[in-house]
Amino acid sequence: MKKLKLHNPSYKHLITNFKEWLDILGYAESTVYYLPNHLQEFFYYLEAKHMHQLNTITAETIKAYYKYLQERASETRSGALSKSYLNKHQQALKKFKEYLQNHNHKGINIHLKSETNPAEEKQNILTQSEIKALFKATTYSHTENRFKLRDKAMLTILYSCGLRRNEAVHLDISDILFDKERVYVRKGKNNKERFVPINRKNAEILEDYLYEARPEFYHSHLSEALFINQQGNRMQGKSYANRLKVIVQATNNKTLAEKNITLHILRHSIATHLLQQEVPLESIKTFLGHSSLTSTQIYTHLLKTLADDHL
């Protein structure tokens, strides 16, 4: 929703601090941007109801607000808000509760059941042949070889290694442990560290980029970042997203283009593919860096939905 003007100084202050807290914890740029915006809509709703203090918020307040969200029109498409968008609003409230508890506040009561829409979730999972098409497209995604090799290495990190965008952004050269066949993820969600395995083929792709392409970038020797841009600076999330769009366009595949592929969809796809190959759920949890199996179990649900489509 478009920026809603708040008048309560306390609410304004909370929005700013909440955003800083998310950023310090290392959440993705999109999360740091969108969750405070969703929280701002909640505060705007509270102001309209003449509720100016957090201690006046009850479980009924949250339910009433959520009912309002379910009924309000979407600004980007016809109809109501999508179920995935409603879940993002839920995430904002739950993360705000966590923020309050971390700052010596009892928090707010949130008892909302997550929305599920298998059809909406599954449509963006890429097939293994579509993934192959993306990798193939990196051979002609740019006129210069250094960019093509960087595109291929980027796909390897985001799909084959299943890293989140923020994790990929913070990778350094030293985090690629070729001798141990591992990628060291220092900047995981909630600052959790983990090691992600790489096979020989993935290692060769990363080696080609590191030793053939990366030195060709301006002032490459002055940065420790694994992925750098034309100015020799660490690539940021938006640049990753832009390159992915270019790679998708390079496939000349209309079906792929219509899937509106994001960086996170690559991560969803590798998780689903691992499950299809009967990799244990616990192993996928470790691979993705999930804190609990609950987050990982969504892929069993997606896999069943995908299988039902082929019956």
Side-chain angles (χ1 to χ4, degrees):
M1 193 148 183
K2 290 177 182 175
K3 286 277 188 179
L4 300 168
K5 189 173 177 61
L6 296 176
H7 300 285
N8 187 323
S10 172
Y11 288 165
K12 289 181 184 178
H13 188 64
L14 280 168
I15 292 286
T16 301
N17 287 356
F18 179 57
K19 186 170 186 175
E20 288 177 357
W21 180 72
L22 291 171
D23 192 36
I24 289 168
L25 288 179
Y27 283 95
E29 289 175 25
S30 57
T31 301
V32 174
Y33 176 78
Y34 285 110
L35 292 199
N37 284 353
H38 296 330
L39 183 62
Q40 187 156 331
E41 182 169 358
F42 176 56
F43 285 160
Y44 185 81
Y45 172 87
L46 293 180
E47 285 193 355
K49 300 292 181 183
H50 306 290
M51 300 176 69
H52 302 290
Q53 294 182 352
L54 293 182
N55 59 14
T56 62
I57 299 170
T58 65
E60 291 305 314
T61 308
I62 301 293
K63 287 179 184 176
Y65 171 65
Y66 196 64
K67 188 172 187 296
Y68 148 78
L69 287 177
Q70 289 174 314
E71 294 173 352
R72 92 156 169 85
S74 169
E75 292 189 341
T76 57
R77 63 189 183 105
S78 60
L81 298 179
S82 69
K83 295 196 175 185
S84 62
Y85 203 73
L86 286 170
N87 280 335
K88 285 181 170 43
H89 276 275
Q90 282 200 35
Q91 183 190 4
L93 291 174
K94 289 172 181 175
K95 194 53 66 177
F96 180 59
K97 176 183 180 179
E98 185 182 323
Y99 162 81
L100 290 174
Q101 290 171 334
N102 272 268
H103 290 79
N104 300 316
H105 189 283
K106 68 177 182 179
I108 51 180
N109 291 319
I110 302 168
H111 301 289
L112 298 171
K113 188 177 180 181
S114 295
E115 303 285 347
T116 57
N117 186 350
E120 188 175 278
E121 291 169 340
K122 74 170 188 277
Q123 67 182 2
N124 288 330
I125 296 296
L126 304 182
T127 64
Q128 293 190 40
S129 61
E130 286 172 333
I131 290 293
K132 287 178 182 176
L134 290 178
F135 273 93
K136 185 178 179 182
T138 62
T139 59
Y140 39 83
S141 56
H142 201 281
T143 54
E144 292 186 47
N145 195 49
R146 58 179 176 147
F147 288 100
K148 292 187 285 190
L149 290 177
R150 190 185 66 181
D151 284 347
K152 195 171 187 178
M154 187 186 84
L155 283 183
T156 298
I157 289 296
L158 294 166
Y159 168 74
S160 305
C161 297
L163 266 65
R164 301 176 178 92
R165 171 165 64 174
N166 197 48
E167 293 170 346
V169 166
H170 287 92
L171 277 181
D172 286 343
I173 299 171
S174 58
D175 295 330
I176 311 301
L177 311 173
F178 290 109
D179 56 334
K180 295 180 181 177
E181 297 184 330
R182 295 282 186 276
V183 172
Y184 174 43
V185 182
R186 292 175 296 104
K187 200 75 173 178
K189 193 171 182 179
N190 296 330
N191 284 325
K192 289 184 178 177
E193 303 173 342
R194 73 181 187 280
F195 289 92
V196 176
I198 49 173
N199 59 28
R200 188 61 243 160
K201 184 178 179 182
N202 292 336
E204 286 174 359
I205 291 171
L206 295 176
E207 283 174 345
D208 287 345
Y209 163 67
L210 268 176
Y211 301 120
E212 293 182 33
R214 193 181 180 284
E216 297 298 315
F217 284 87
Y218 181 72
H219 280 177
S220 62
H221 63 288
L222 298 180
S223 174
E224 291 298 316
L226 177 63
F227 291 107
I228 54 176
N229 58 25
Q230 283 180 280
Q231 290 74 43
N233 300 319
R234 185 182 295 273
M235 269 180 69
Q236 297 302 311
K238 190 172 182 181
S239 296
Y240 283 80
N242 289 339
R243 287 313 304 166
L244 180 57
K245 286 180 183 177
V246 171
I247 296 168
V248 171
Q249 288 170 356
T251 66
N252 285 322
N253 184 319
K254 188 178 178 182
T255 304
L256 266 177
E258 289 175 349
K259 282 197 171 186
N260 190 28
I261 301 166
T262 63
L263 300 172
H264 211 67
I265 284 169
L266 297 177
R267 179 173 156 88
H268 283 323
S269 299
I270 184 63
T272 306
H273 297 162
L274 289 172
L275 206 55
Q276 286 172 330
Q277 293 164 21
E278 299 184 350
V279 174
L281 204 60
E282 185 68 39
S283 298
I284 298 175
K285 168 185 170 288
T286 303
F287 175 78
L288 294 173
H290 285 161
S291 55
S292 74
L293 271 178
T294 306
S295 300
T296 318
Q297 282 167 339
I298 186 177
Y299 298 109
T300 59
H301 154 71
L302 285 176
L303 188 59
K304 183 181 183 304
T305 310
L306 289 166
D308 289 345
D309 277 357
H310 293 90
L311 291 178

